[in-house]
Amino acid sequence: MSDGQADKSRPGPVAGQTLDGAGSAAILRAAGLVGSMTLISRAAGFVRDAMLAGLLGTGTAGDAWTAAFQLPNTLRRLVGEGNVSAAFLPVFAAESRERQGHHLWALAERLHSAIALFAGALTAAGVLAAPLIVPWLYPGYASVAGKTALTVRLTQLAFPYLICIASAAVLMAVLNARGRFAAAAFTPVLLNLSMIAGAAVGWLADLRQPVYAIVVGAVAGGALQWAFLVPFVRRAGMRVRPRADLDDPALRRIVRLMVPGLFGVSIVQINILVGRLLASELQEGSVTSLYYASRINELTLGVFVISVATVVLPTMSQHGAAGRMGALRDTLGLSLRHVMAMTIPATVGIVLLRTDIARVLFERGRFDGTSTALTAAALWGYSLGLVGIAVVRVTAPAFYALRDTRTPVVAAALAMVVNIAGCLWLRESLANAGIALANSLATFVNAGVLLLLLRGRLNGLAGKEVLAAAIRIGLAAGAMAWVVAGVRPRAMPVAAHGGWSDAAGLAATVALGLLTYAAALAVLRAPELMELRGGLRRKLPDTLAATGDDEDDS
């Protein structure tokens, strides 16, 4: 069946397939769908990280793996994921008003080919330059015999992951443009399962260097992510084929929008690399502890914040293309209130339970008590920035919807200066925790600048509603903290029993804390709780639901 025939049998790729015009219930339900997929992925990710922690610990192999995978992962964020969606969705929404059928899908196919070619060139350059890049980024590794050489070899093996995951990012953006979020949100599960398989091979075969099997698993996982998405985008109408005819005005507009995004994402990654460079000169294991602490933070961000940001970007893009500034402002206000409702209590809980969380999740095998202490120290520093990161994640899409990818770069650049200065200052007194805390301070600077500038662009924000929500959420989180602080000494005694006893105590403490928080919101009659209930009870509207094959997506 031709592209034209495929398109005749269903609505266009954007019209009738996005969240345009959907109310808060539709947005929250779609975010819940993405969040549920992300939760499955994060659960698999923690199994993966627990296996890696036990196999590699926070010594030479653990630090080498963390550094090696960081490089292609950094470039993935530059040429894939959010940057692709931020540039693609607003242009795709506008082009859908002028192009129809296979003419519109040709734009997605050209972008897919262009991104794959660019990622291939970066991969080749990365493999060749790894012997020069690694010693420069991680000078502290030279003090341990063989550590730099191992990191170089692992980096060269890991780089092909970039081609697969960057190509997959385009397919994810296409599905998001059609309002189909579940398949794209599920793909990280495949990466985690593949890495778990690699770790299992390394453990069962008793390899001298099991980290090599883990790297192979990561590259295979990237390929699986891309292959999994191909059938979904084919059903949507896109042909997944190489294209040489890349001369398309709309593609050039996407690239122009991506260029500032490249700088913006690179600034974020520079922050991470600077932190790890400075951590490499601290106690051995500091680099790895920052990684594991950030992974715990990413659970909250992935399940709640990024899920909301993923869903509202197509919505905001439609509002921006149609000039509906009031609707865009309302969507932003809704998003801000709900990400605060998730991240404020998460911050409180992580700070109170940081050592218990690190111990239960990772302390086994080569990950010992010292590793737990290092990770817990970094965790409290990172967790204080959760709210700031959440605000940035849902505010930046508003600029992207207005086809402005430059302003978020300016805000990120200012935050980078704060982060580097903070790392240099706080590292002396707080070690790895100081590096994490500097990152958190920088996120609040970033968030504040974005909100201030966006207020002028949208003729105001829903400031009173957001402030009132912050007060309600803060009071409810305070009640939760009081209960958790009282229960924790009994559920998680200092003389820990270890194993399932600790896990059960932590789970019970978290569950009681969540129940307290929800009850406090109910007493305060928080609209966020009622909106969430409404979103869970209602079915997705026709503008979000896909036609014909949505059950396969979910």
Side-chain angles (χ1 to χ4, degrees):
M1 183 166 58
S2 70
D3 291 344
Q5 290 172 322
D7 287 314
K8 289 177 184 177
S9 66
R10 54 171 63 99
V14 176
Q17 293 281 349
T18 69
L19 288 173
D20 185 32
S24 61
I27 292 175
L28 294 174
R29 184 167 175 81
L33 178 64
V34 176
S36 64
M37 295 296 103
T38 305
L39 182 59
I40 295 172
S41 172
R42 297 302 185 190
F46 276 115
V47 173
R48 177 198 82 184
D49 286 341
M51 292 184 70
L52 265 58
L55 271 175
L56 307 179
T58 55
T60 296
D63 279 354
W65 152 254
T66 303
F69 196 57
Q70 176 64 34
L71 287 172
N73 221 22
T74 295
L75 293 175
R76 175 203 67 167
R77 297 176 193 270
L78 292 175
V79 300
E81 287 193 350
N83 198 28
V84 168
S85 292
F88 174 73
L89 288 174
V91 174
F92 200 58
E95 287 297 309
S96 68
R97 297 170 177 267
E98 302 175 5
R99 302 191 192 190
Q100 296 297 324
H102 66 277
H103 296 291
L104 181 60
W105 286 116
L107 173 60
E109 293 160 8
R110 291 184 180 112
L111 179 62
H112 182 258
S113 296
I115 290 292
L117 285 171
F118 186 52
L122 287 176
T123 296
V127 170
L128 293 174
L132 300 175
I133 296 174
V134 169
W136 178 69
L137 288 177
Y138 300 94
Y141 283 16
S143 62
V144 179
K147 192 170 184 177
T148 297
L150 176 62
T151 305
V152 169
R153 290 194 296 271
L154 294 177
T155 299
Q156 292 172 323
L157 283 174
F159 248 106
Y161 168 78
L162 174 63
I163 301 174
C164 303
I165 200 62
S167 301
V170 178
L171 305 187
M172 293 179 192
V174 169
L175 291 172
N176 288 347
R178 296 204 63 173
R180 302 181 186 183
F181 303 99
F186 178 78
T187 54
V189 175
L190 301 173
L191 172 66
N192 291 326
L193 292 177
S194 185
M195 291 178 67
I196 288 170
V201 168
W203 177 64
L204 293 173
D206 196 21
L207 299 179
R208 181 171 170 269
Q209 288 281 19
V211 69
Y212 285 105
I214 294 168
V215 172
V216 172
V219 175
L224 284 173
Q225 285 180 281
W226 176 84
F228 175 78
L229 292 172
V230 169
F232 292 96
V233 295
R234 280 187 180 277
R235 281 201 292 270
M238 174 184 170
R239 290 182 179 180
V240 184
R241 58 178 180 174
R243 295 194 69 130
D245 56 329
L246 302 181
D247 187 16
D248 187 322
L251 180 60
R252 289 196 292 271
R253 287 200 298 273
I254 292 172
V255 172
R256 283 197 296 270
L257 287 174
M258 284 186 67
V259 170
L262 289 174
F263 287 103
V265 177
S266 66
I267 287 171
V268 174
Q269 298 309 309
I270 288 171
N271 286 335
I272 295 173
L273 290 174
V274 166
R276 291 181 178 176
L277 184 155
L278 295 173
S280 73
E281 298 175 344
L282 298 173
Q283 176 183 350
E284 186 172 33
S286 294
V287 172
T288 309
S289 71
L290 290 172
Y291 167 76
Y292 285 122
S294 67
R295 289 288 296 163
I296 295 171
N297 251 27
E298 286 169 7
L299 175 63
T300 300
L301 294 173
V303 174
F304 302 118
V305 177
I306 297 175
S307 300
V308 172
T310 299
V311 170
V312 299
L313 178 55
T315 308
M316 289 181 174
S317 296
Q318 289 292 304
H319 292 325
R324 296 189 294 264
M325 295 300 104
L328 199 159
R329 184 170 56 246
D330 291 343
T331 302
L332 175 63
L334 173 77
S335 303
L336 287 172
R337 289 189 292 108
H338 280 275
V339 296
M340 286 194 307
M342 301 301 178
T343 53
I344 290 176
T347 298
V348 172
I350 291 174
V351 169
L352 290 174
L353 301 172
R354 60 189 182 276
T355 301
D356 305 313
I357 292 170
R359 184 174 68 245
V360 168
L361 290 177
F362 302 124
E363 191 172 310
R364 57 188 60 83
R366 295 183 182 179
F367 198 102
D368 55 17
T370 300
S371 301
T372 294
L374 280 171
T375 302
L379 185 55
W380 80 263
Y382 274 140
S383 64
L384 294 178
L386 277 173
V387 177
I389 297 174
V391 172
V392 171
R393 289 283 189 168
V394 299
T395 305
F399 287 97
Y400 302 150
L402 299 172
R403 299 196 194 184
D404 177 4
T405 55
R406 295 181 182 180
T407 300
V409 175
V410 174
L414 179 60
M416 180 182 70
V417 174
V418 173
N419 179 65
I420 294 174
C423 284
L424 293 171
W425 176 43
L426 296 171
R427 180 184 67 152
E428 299 302 320
S429 57
L430 297 174
N432 66 332
I435 293 172
L437 182 58
N439 186 269
S440 293
L441 294 174
T443 62
F444 279 102
V445 171
N446 195 348
V449 171
L450 288 178
L451 286 173
L452 181 63
L453 295 176
L454 190 59
R455 186 173 182 272
R457 295 288 295 272
L458 298 180
N459 296 320
L461 298 174
K464 292 182 180 178
E465 293 83 354
V466 173
L467 179 60
I471 294 172
R472 287 191 301 269
I473 293 163
L475 291 172
M480 183 196 78
W482 181 75
V483 171
V484 169
V487 169
R488 188 213 162 273
R490 298 175 178 82
M492 304 286 293
V494 175
H497 299 291
W500 290 108
S501 175
D502 272 0
L506 178 61
T509 304
V510 170
L512 187 57
L514 290 175
L515 287 173
T516 303
Y517 176 65
L521 287 180
V523 169
L524 294 170
R525 296 185 179 180
E528 293 76 27
L529 188 61
M530 295 179 225
E531 288 165 351
L532 182 59
R533 286 175 180 169
L536 293 175
R537 287 173 182 171
R538 297 184 189 181
K539 293 182 178 180
L540 292 175
D542 293 338
T543 51
L544 175 62
T547 58
D549 53 0
D550 251 53
E551 292 182 3
D552 294 332
D553 278 14
S554 59

